[in-house]
C-alpha cells in the first residue's frame, strides 16, 4: 500500500493527512493567515505519531486549488521542498474534486456540483460524476463566477 502525505492550505484551515496501511490520519487547524507558521509543525506531529520519515513516503500531495492565492503558494512550496528533499513525486489535487468526492461519500451521491467560496461575491465551481469503475469524471471545467450565474447540467 502507498504511503501518502497530503497538505492543504487553500482555505482558512491548515490541514495535513497521512494515508498509511489503508488508513487515514489527519490534523487540521482553522487559522486564517497562519498556515505558513503552522503547516510544518503539523506535518512533523503527524509523521512522528506514525514513526514515519519523509523518505519513507511514496508521494506528497497538495491541494492545488482553486483557493486562496497565498495559501496555494504555501502548500505548493512546502510540498515541493519536502518531496524534493525526500526524493518522492508531487501529486497536485483539485480542491473542488476533493470536495466533490467527500460529498459523494458522505451523501451517497454519484453526481455533485462542488462549490467553494471565492470571496468578492463569487464561487469556484465544477461538476463531477462518479463512474461505475470508481473514477471521478469532471463534467465541467473549474470556473469562478457569481452564484446566480451557476447552471446545473440537465443530467444532474
Amino acid at each position: 500500500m502507498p504511503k501518502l502525505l497530503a497538505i492543504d492550505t487553500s482555505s482558512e484551515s491548515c490541514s495535513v493527512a497521512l494515508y498509511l496501511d489503508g488508513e487515514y490520519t489527519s490534523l487540521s487547524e482553522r487559522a486564517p493567515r497562519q498556515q505558513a507558521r503552522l503547516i510544518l509543525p503539523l506535518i512533523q506531529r503527524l509523521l512522528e505519531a506514525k514513526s514515519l520519515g519523509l523518505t519513507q513516503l511514496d508521494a506528497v500531495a497538495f491541494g492545488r486549488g482553486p483557493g486562496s492565492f497565498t495559501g496555494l503558494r504555501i502548500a505548493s512550496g512546502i510540498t515541493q521542498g519536502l518531496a524534493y528533499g525526500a526524493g518522492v513525486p508531487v501529486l497536485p489535487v483539485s480542491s473542488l474534486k476533493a470536495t466533490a468526492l467527500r460529498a459523494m461519500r458522505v451523501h451517497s451521491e454519484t453526481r455533485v456540483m462542488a462549490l467553494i467560496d471565492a470571496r468578492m461575491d463569487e464561487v469556484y465551481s465544477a461538476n463531477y460524476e462518479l463512474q461505475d469503475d470508481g473514477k471521478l469524471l469532471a463534467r465541467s471545467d473549474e470556473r469562478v463566477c457569481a452564484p446566480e450565474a451557476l447552471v446545473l447540467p440537465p443530467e444532474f
Side-chain angles (χ1 to χ4, degrees), residues 25-93:
T25 307
S26 65
L27 296 172
S28 182
E29 242 182 88
R30 183 174 161 80
R33 294 182 291 283
Q34 296 299 313
Q35 292 95 329
R37 182 177 62 79
L38 294 172
I39 191 67
L40 286 172
L42 284 175
I43 293 167
Q44 185 175 4
R45 277 184 28 215
L46 187 61
L47 291 174
E48 284 177 355
K50 297 296 182 177
S51 300
L52 197 65
L54 287 171
T55 58
Q56 294 172 280
L57 297 172
D58 294 306
V60 180
F62 75 101
R64 62 135 175 96
S68 154
F69 180 72
T70 300
L72 298 175
R73 287 186 0 207
I74 292 166
S76 65
I78 294 289
T79 299
Q80 288 178 9
L82 294 176
Y84 180 78
V88 298
V90 169
L91 305 173
V93 176

Side-chain angles (χ1 to χ4, degrees), residues 92-116:
V93 176
S94 163
S95 302
L96 283 168
K97 193 171 186 178
T99 299
L101 188 56
R102 173 79 175 146
M104 288 174 176
R105 288 182 176 161
V106 168
H107 300 288
S108 300
E109 294 292 337
T110 58
R111 294 181 180 146
V112 168
M113 175 185 277
L115 303 169
I116 297 174

Side-chain angles (χ1 to χ4, degrees), residues 13-25:
S13 292
C14 184
S15 304
V16 296
L18 185 64
Y19 180 73
L20 178 65
D21 299 327
E23 293 184 14
Y24 294 97
T25 307

Side-chain angles (χ1 to χ4, degrees), residues 129-143:
E129 184 173 0
L130 190 61
Q131 302 294 291
D132 292 336
D133 62 5
K135 292 184 181 174
L136 196 56
L137 175 68
R139 302 288 289 176
S140 70
D141 291 332
E142 294 180 352
R143 66 182 231 166

